[in-house]
Amino acid sequence: MSFLFQTARGILCELGSASRVGRLLVEDMNIASGSSVLVVTDKGIQDLGLDQGSRESIEDAGLKVNVFSSVAADPPESCVQEAVRIAKETNASAIIGFGGGSSMDVAKLVAFLAHASCKQKLSEIYGLDICRGERLPLIQVPTTAGTGSEVTPISIITTGANSKMGVVSRQLLPDWAVLDGSLTTKLPPNVTAATGIDAMVHAIEAYTSKIKKNDLSDLLAKEALRYVKFALRMNL
């Protein structure tokens, strides 16, 4: 069987690893001291204080933190455009996606569209492999188990009252996916249940799909189902 499997350059899976984001930025990604970093998240995450450890680690690493916390579920184009504007205004040297799939989807697009060399508009990159050029350094920190957005090259954006479009491009794969399980334990039970079902459905889809499935994706899908069964029983 021949296949291509692409994901994040690095995956850090460790309890408390969200507090290592600052070190990753400086020691691994060579972000210069004094540079600005934009955290893309939503108001619920901020209200729960889930991003506090990451923000503090960024500041402790000698970097400046700015936060865009206006991401909503099924983010519209205007949300992406506003986040890009803030990233450019603050001269962001790196982007952190922190939260659920919506925040991480927006963060991917901001990392690409806010790069100084980017000449494309959001409306010009919908589709498969249309992005051209580089993106800003990008770290994704998921707080739910549902979407898997932290390890995929896909962003889904709401483009109208009842329509969505996707951007699929290798530029959207992050440098690091930071998987801190302690973040998920602080979520309300209904969110844990909903995102657990989301993860289960994604695993079923991956395993039963006839398109682009392969031995590695089958292995991951089966293990995901086993973990979801165990985790939901433990946490609900």
Side-chain angles (χ1 to χ4, degrees), residues 136-147:
L136 294 171
L138 174 64
I139 296 178
Q140 300 279 39
V141 187
T143 57
T144 68
T147 69

Side-chain angles (χ1 to χ4, degrees), residues 12 30 65-66 99 112-113 120-121 128 142 152 161 183 187 205 217 223 225:
L12 173 60
N30 298 316
V65 182
N66 295 287
F112 176 72
L113 294 168
Q120 293 174 289
K121 299 178 181 179
L128 180 63
T152 68
L183 297 176
L187 296 173
E205 288 176 336
S217 68
E223 281 296 286
L225 287 170

